[in-house]
Every structure is written in C-alpha cells, then in structure tokens.
Amino acid sequence: MVLTPDAILANPLSGGALRRQARAFLSTHEAQPRLASIFATHQRWLLSMLALALYLGREGYPDSPGLRATLLLDEAVRNDVASRNTAHSFLQEMQRFGLIEARISEADKRLRLLHAQDFVIEMLEHWMRIHFTTLDALDGGARLARFTAAPHGAARLQPLIVAHLLQARPIRVPGGTFAVFTWLDQGGLLMDWLIANMDEEADGNGRIRTADISITELGQQLGLSRSHLSRKLKEARMAGGIGWSDSRGQLRLWIADDFRADYFRYQACKLALIDQ
C-alpha cells in the first residue's frame, strides 16, 4: 500500500525516522561538501533534480547521448523553476565545479552535449537510498533491497520521481516557517542540523531545544563563514521559527514546534511522492 503524507505523519515511528534521515543528510554533506554545497538553496536543488531527470530520461542510461543545455533552460521556465538566465548560470557553475562536462556529440559534431560525472550519479543513488531507508523504517518494507538489486535503478526511477515533485506545490513552493529557510544559502542543511540535534519534546513555551554550539563551529559544519551564518540566523529569527540565547559564546538554539511540524510535513510529502 502506498503511504500518504498523513499516514507517514501519524506513524509513531516517523519522528525517529525523520531525525535519522536528517542525520544521514548531514553525513552526506560531510562526505561530499563540495557537491552538497552546490545545491545550497531550494531553487538550485530543484534545478539539479530537473537537470538529472532530463539527462537520465533521454534515450536510456548509461548509453544516453547527453543533455542539450537549451532543453534544461526551456524546461526550467516551463515548470516555473527558474528563469533561463538563472538556469544558464547554474549550468555554468556546475561545469566550473567539475560536476558536468560538455562533450561534442558523436551524431552531430556541431552539438556540445552535457554529461554528468559518475560521482554525481552515485550521489543521486545515495540520496534515493536515504529516502528508501526512511520509508522501510515506517512499514518494514523492502524498497531499499529492491532498489539496490535493480539495474540502473536511479536512472529508471529518478525522472518519474521528479515529474511528481514538480507537480506537487508543497514541494515546489513550501509554506509556513519552512519557507524561510528554502532561499537561504545552506538553508536546507541548517534545517537538517536543527532537526537532527533537537530534543524529543517541546518545553512549556512551545520551544524545542537543540544542541548548544558556537557560531564558529556551526559555520564550519555547514560550510559558511561566521559572519554569513550570523546574518542568516538573524534573518531566520526575524521570520520566526527559530531563536537562541548566547551564553559565553555558545548558542543555545531552539526551534518552534510549528517549525518542526512544517519540516516533518515537507519531508512526509516528499517521501509519499517517492513511495508512489
């Protein structure tokens, strides 16, 4: 039976499973900080997922002829993900960081087609395994085992998943306190850190404590400078959902229960679409 967002949220195992998932995202960043930090905002994440879906969804993988840059630009606009200029700048940055490369088409020497590096596909497979692990933890399923056993599982599934993600407004345009973080540099990673390190229960004021940490140490974990992180935390505090007190250089961070609920709702929607 396919899980729904409400069924996921009602599952008594969901809280622990989603916290473990947040920790897995953080571990991925630690293992591949260069790759993970490229997708620093929600828009860049959507662009990367769309680009991979178009690349993998061509005439088969791994024998795909490659991706035309103009196709991504057109689809980014059509799906209201980004403007052509933003999508073009994104592709240029991906090339500068060595995540993709342009190769002359064998079929038409006038064309230069984009190809993802192998480690990018490996990271995508890892991303999918994290979500299948969470889903299996909720109902004792065997999605991860089936995915691992399937040849070219990521190439077969990812374009289908992205087609659903782009049609789901809660994923494309998150609301509530969650939305505050989606356009911040490393906002997604910061949210994962807060969830991974939060206490089990809220206090009498509806606040949930997280681990005490210095702003320098937190910046190092997220790949942000101290000054940049300070500005982003202040922006998030002004918008609501997060706060802190400062004790001898240690931030005693807390999140609002509404923020936790919004984060869990977003993840439940994403997991339900992946399960479907």
Side-chain angles (χ1 to χ4, degrees):
M1 182 178 69
V2 175
L3 294 173
T4 65
D6 287 340
I8 291 172
L9 292 171
N11 190 315
L13 301 175
S14 65
L18 290 173
R19 291 182 70 188
R20 289 193 296 274
Q21 179 177 279
R23 294 189 191 108
F25 290 151
L26 292 174
S27 296
T28 299
H29 173 76
E30 292 173 2
Q32 287 277 8
R34 180 185 61 155
L35 181 56
S37 63
I38 292 298
F39 314 123
T41 67
H42 189 64
Q43 183 186 51
R44 291 162 69 85
W45 177 74
L46 287 172
L47 277 170
S48 68
M49 294 298 282
L50 176 59
L52 283 168
L54 294 171
Y55 174 68
L56 297 176
R58 302 301 290 163
E59 299 171 12
Y61 180 83
D63 299 319
S64 170
L67 172 65
R68 288 183 295 110
T70 53
L71 178 60
L72 174 62
L73 306 189
D74 291 343
E75 289 299 303
V77 173
R78 189 177 72 83
N79 288 281
D80 198 25
V81 173
S83 68
R84 292 179 67 87
N85 286 341
T86 298
H88 179 67
S89 297
F90 174 79
L91 285 178
Q92 288 184 318
E93 190 169 359
M94 296 306 99
Q95 291 185 71
R96 286 199 303 272
F97 278 87
L99 304 182
I100 59 176
E101 64 176 351
R103 303 175 192 165
I104 296 176
S105 169
E106 295 182 1
D108 186 344
K109 302 301 182 182
R110 296 170 299 177
L111 289 178
R112 290 174 63 83
L113 300 176
L114 301 175
H115 293 263
Q117 300 287 23
D118 288 344
F119 71 89
V120 174
I121 305 302
E122 292 170 2
M123 179 64 81
L124 173 64
E125 293 171 343
H126 179 65
W127 180 87
M128 296 176 75
R129 285 195 295 269
I130 289 174
H131 290 84
F132 290 140
T133 298
T134 301
L135 287 163
D136 286 348
L138 297 176
D139 63 4
R143 300 169 187 81
L144 179 60
R146 295 203 307 274
F147 173 72
T148 302
H152 308 310
R156 293 165 60 189
L157 281 178
Q158 195 265 358
L160 300 175
I161 291 172
V162 171
H164 286 294
L165 293 178
L166 291 176
Q167 294 174 11
R169 185 170 179 81
I171 299 297
R172 289 184 59 256
V173 189
T177 54
F178 187 97
V180 175
F181 294 86
T182 56
W183 298 100
L184 300 180
D185 289 347
Q186 301 294 42
L189 198 63
L190 175 56
M191 286 190 287
D192 294 332
W193 188 92
L194 292 167
I195 294 298
N197 289 280
M198 70 179 184
D199 290 345
E200 293 285 347
E201 300 294 337
D203 62 19
N205 297 316
R207 297 176 176 180
I208 306 168
R209 283 283 305 277
T210 71
D212 294 349
I213 190 170
S214 72
I215 195 165
T216 299
E217 183 181 355
L218 181 57
Q220 290 173 345
Q221 291 187 25
L222 301 180
L224 296 172
S225 69
R226 190 180 190 282
S227 59
H228 185 67
L229 177 59
S230 296
R231 290 195 303 272
K232 296 306 177 183
L233 285 174
K234 290 176 182 177
E235 289 176 24
R237 180 167 64 177
M238 290 179 63
I242 179 177
W244 66 87
S245 59
D246 194 334
S247 177
R248 297 181 180 179
Q250 291 288 106
L251 294 179
R252 294 185 172 181
L253 286 159
W254 56 264
I255 60 175
D257 197 32
D258 286 347
F259 169 80
R260 177 176 61 176
D262 288 340
Y263 179 95
F264 279 12
R265 167 63 63 176
Y266 175 86
Q267 296 298 336
C269 289
K270 175 157 58 80
L271 287 163
L273 290 171
I274 292 172
D275 189 43
Q276 183 181 352

